[in-house]
Amino acid sequence: MGLSTVPVPLCGVAEAVRRLHMTGLPFVFFHDTGTGRGSVLYHRYDGHDGLIAPAL
């Protein structure tokens, strides 16, 4: 598996949720405009979404 050449999306959490549900991928990495840092939004085993974000 190679490295992705797609740029990291610059968006807020709400837009990341929309992207996650639209693509059907298991997770989306994005540059959070609210914090200025990278975060990961993912589908949880219970059907909800989870967010991994750095401590501020």
Side-chain angles (χ1 to χ4, degrees):
M1 193 181 222
L3 296 176
S4 174
T5 58
V6 177
V8 173
L10 179 64
C11 61
V13 174
E15 174 64 15
V17 169
R18 189 187 71 75
R19 286 174 179 260
L20 181 68
H21 292 201
M22 182 179 70
T23 63
L25 295 171
F27 68 90
V28 62
F29 178 80
F30 65 102
H31 183 110
D32 188 344
T33 54
T35 64
R37 308 210 35 206
S39 296
V40 176
L41 185 69
Y42 64 97
H43 288 294
R44 291 174 25 145
Y45 68 93
D46 61 3
H48 294 94
D49 299 328
L51 178 65
I52 301 172
L56 299 177

